Amino acid sequence: MDEATARFVRERAGFRCEYCLLPERHVRLPFEIEHVVARQHGGTDALGNLAFACLHCNKRKGPNLTGLDRVAARAKIVRLFHPRHHSWGYHFSLLGPRIVGRTAIGRVTVDVLAMNEPLLVLLREELIEEGLFPG
Ligand SMILES: [Zn+2]
């Protein structure tokens, strides 16, 4: 992937993780360009398959495409949030520093990406107090 593509993806995302909305400038480790559909599943470098993600979300997502929604009596396989096809505000909401899945897609994505790990919630709490999140 060339530098111009990486720059475009970062700017398109507003320099925030497209999964957890964490702003890159308030985190020490640089974020990554993520393949929403991983190469091992046939994903390409096309702009429609690239997303900007913090290290935590990118690592947790890995090549996963789905998760198990355990709300129903029988757990259902549900696809993960796709930043290019889905709207963040439709699938997630913020409850203070916690990210809540509003739909099955939102729920499984919060779960698979472990978006509410204690350290992340703490970080969001601090950013909220400083008026830097969600921004
Ligand atoms: Zn993230």
Side-chain angles (χ1 to χ4, degrees):
M1 182 186 325
D2 60 39
E3 184 52 40
T5 301
R7 193 176 325 118
F8 176 86
V9 172
R10 290 180 74 226
E11 286 175 10
R12 177 176 64 187
F15 307 98
R16 297 175 165 274
C17 174
E18 295 192 75
Y19 294 96
C20 73
L21 304 183
L22 191 65
E24 184 185 38
R25 69 179 178 279
H26 303 302
V27 184
R28 279 206 194 109
L29 297 170
F31 288 9
E32 297 176 329
I33 308 295
E34 194 248 342
H35 289 82
V36 181
V37 175
R39 289 176 204 263
Q40 77 186 76
H41 296 300
T44 69
D45 283 349
L47 289 172
N49 188 45
L50 299 176
F52 195 51
C54 72
L55 287 183
H56 172 87
C57 288
N58 195 21
K59 189 174 149 213
R60 290 294 306 223
K61 183 179 167 295
N64 290 304
L65 297 172
T66 62
L68 276 182
D69 187 22
R70 298 183 182 87
V71 166
R74 281 182 56 192
K76 247 176 64 182
I77 294 173
V78 175
R79 67 176 299 178
L80 294 178
F81 176 73
H82 191 308
R84 301 279 72 77
H85 299 164
H86 300 136
S87 150
W88 198 95
Y90 181 79
H91 292 287
F92 305 99
S93 62
L94 284 169
L95 191 63
R98 298 183 64 79
I99 297 174
V100 178
R102 302 177 65 210
T103 62
I105 286 174
R107 285 191 298 272
V108 299
T109 304
V110 166
D111 191 31
V112 171
L113 274 57
M115 290 166 128
N116 292 312
E117 271 191 2
L119 277 177
L120 294 174
V121 171
L122 210 66
L123 175 59
R124 278 185 222 121
E125 228 163 36
E126 288 174 11
L127 291 173
I128 288 169
E129 279 173 24
E130 294 169 31
L132 302 171
F133 186 85

